[in-house]
Amino acid sequence: MTILDKIIAFKKKEIAKIKAEVPVQKLVQSPSFGRATFSLKKSLLEVGSTGIIAEFKRQSPSKGIINDTATIAEVTNGYLGANVAAQSILTDTSFFGGTMADLMEARVINQQKPILRKDFIVDGFQIVEAKAIGADVILLIAACLTSAELKNYGNLAADLGLEVLYEIHTQEELDKINDLDNKIIGINNRNLKTFEVDLEHSIKLASQIPDSCIKISESGISDPRIIMGLKEYGFQGFLIGETFMKTANPGEACQDFINQIR
Ligand SMILES: O=C(O)c1ccccc1NCC(=O)[C@H](O)[C@H](O)COP(=O)(O)O
C-alpha cells in the first residue's frame, strides 16, 4: 500500500464521519456562500502576474516537519506583500498538519488573491466545505479519482462558483480528464506514490496539454532559474511550498524569490 492509498483510505473514513455529524445544509448557510470568488485563471493571466502560487505547508509525508512555528497571519501577509498570484493552504490535518481553520484565518486577511484549498478531495461534501470556508479553488487529483468523479466533482465546483486545479503526474492521468478545453492543469513533479521529484515531468507532459488550458508546474521548485525554463514550455503558474516554508521567514523568502524572476 502506498502512502497515497493510505491517505485516500483515511480521508474516506474521515469524511464519512464528518458527513454523519455535519448536515450539508449547515455548510450552505455559511456567509462564504454569498461572497464573490477570486479567479485563479484571471490572476495568472493578468499582465505582470508573478505566477507564483505560494503554499502554507507545516509538514508533509515526504519531509516530516517543515515549519511548525510560522503563523498563518505572518505568512499570508508576507506572501501578499510579495505579490503572489495566489495562496495555497493545506487543510489536511493528519498528514500535513493543516486545518480548515488555517484557510478561514487566511481568508480574513487575504481579500485580494485566490486561495486554493489543497486537500485530497474524495467526496462532493469536501467541495461544499471548501466553499463554506472561503476557498476560491479546489484541487482534484487525477491519481485519486475516476474519470466520472473528475467530471462530476468538476461540475459541482463550477455550480458553486469555484475553479478547479486538475492535478496530474502521468499521461494516463491526463487522459482521465475529459474535455481538457480551458481547464487549469497542474503537473505535479512529485510522484505521490514514491515521493520522487523530477521537474522533467512538467516538461515532458507540457506538449500534451492544449493551449486553451492554463499550465501549472507543482512541487520541487527550489530556484528562480527553474521558472525561466518552465515559462519557455508555456507554464503560467508555479506552485511552491517547501522552498519558502523551510525558511525562518517564508514571506521574505517568497519576496526574494520573486525579485529574482522579474
Ligand atoms: O509533499 C509531499 O510530501 C506530498 C506527499 C503526498 C502527497 C502530496 C504531497 N504534497 C502535496 C503537494 O503537491 C505539494 O505540497 C505542493 O505541490 C508544493 O510542493 P513543494 O514546493 O515541493 O513543497
Side-chain angles (χ1 to χ4, degrees):
M1 202 187 210
T2 67
I3 184 75
L4 189 60
D5 296 329
K6 276 189 197 152
I7 295 175
I8 298 309
F10 186 90
K11 275 281 148 194
K12 285 186 174 165
K13 274 194 199 155
E14 186 181 64
I15 302 307
K17 193 163 174 273
I18 297 173
K19 273 171 80 172
E21 287 162 7
V22 183
V24 79
Q25 291 85 343
K26 191 161 176 227
L27 298 178
V28 175
Q29 284 161 9
S30 149
S32 290
F33 266 78
R35 68 170 269 278
T37 49
F38 297 103
S39 164
L40 176 60
K41 229 180 229 181
K42 211 168 143 199
S43 183
L44 291 172
L45 292 177
E46 231 164 55
V47 177
S49 174
T50 61
I52 302 296
I53 304 166
E55 188 158 278
F56 187 86
K57 187 178 189 182
R58 290 194 181 90
Q59 65 185 62
S60 73
S62 63
K63 297 290 164 69
I65 301 288
I66 297 167
N67 191 329
D68 58 1
T69 55
T71 66
I72 280 282
E74 73 197 25
V75 174
T76 298
N77 282 317
Y79 285 168
L80 291 175
N83 199 21
V84 297
Q87 238 192 313
S88 165
I89 312 245
L90 279 151
T91 54
D92 169 76
T93 306
S94 306
F95 300 89
F96 291 86
T99 62
M100 288 195 281
D102 286 340
L103 197 150
M104 291 165 85
E105 191 184 341
R107 177 81 289 160
V108 173
I109 300 163
N110 176 356
Q111 295 289 327
Q112 44 191 298
K113 300 282 179 177
I115 299 183
L116 164 69
R117 178 186 187 185
K118 195 96 190 316
D119 211 317
F120 299 82
I121 304 265
V122 291
D123 193 295
F125 183 86
Q126 293 164 285
I127 302 172
V128 184
E129 218 176 40
K131 178 75 181 178
I133 61 174
D136 304 290
V137 191
I138 58 150
L139 180 75
L140 292 180
I141 305 176
C144 313
L145 299 167
T146 64
S147 197
E149 285 168 334
L150 286 166
K151 190 176 175 194
N152 294 339
Y153 294 162
N155 287 341
L156 174 59
D159 287 348
L160 295 174
L162 298 170
E163 283 178 324
V164 176
L165 168 56
Y166 292 89
E167 179 179 299
I168 58 143
H169 181 68
T170 64
Q171 178 68 51
E172 292 68 38
E173 289 168 11
L174 181 65
D175 294 341
K176 281 189 186 178
I177 305 167
N178 49 17
D179 187 16
L180 280 172
D181 242 8
N182 290 312
K183 292 207 164 40
I184 309 174
I185 309 287
I187 302 177
N188 201 333
N189 300 306
R190 179 177 288 112
N191 180 328
L192 302 186
K193 293 166 186 161
T194 63
F195 300 156
E196 190 200 334
V197 177
D198 184 355
L199 289 153
E200 284 296 316
H201 269 287
S202 282
I203 291 167
K204 270 190 233 150
L205 286 169
S207 61
Q208 303 305 314
I209 298 171
D211 288 345
S212 65
C213 292
I214 303 271
K215 286 197 274 277
I216 296 176
S217 181
E218 306 175 18
S219 304
I221 302 173
S222 55
D223 190 304
R225 284 169 296 188
I226 295 172
I227 305 287
M228 317 297 181
L230 289 168
K231 279 186 178 172
E232 285 182 21
Y233 288 88
F235 285 91
Q236 290 137 312
F238 313 94
L239 177 58
I240 306 178
E242 190 191 329
T243 297
F244 303 147
M245 289 301 295
K246 71 179 181 189
T247 69
N249 187 336
E252 204 173 87
C254 180
Q255 179 72 75
D256 286 349
F257 191 99
I258 285 175
N259 288 343
Q260 293 176 65
I261 58 174
R262 280 181 180 265

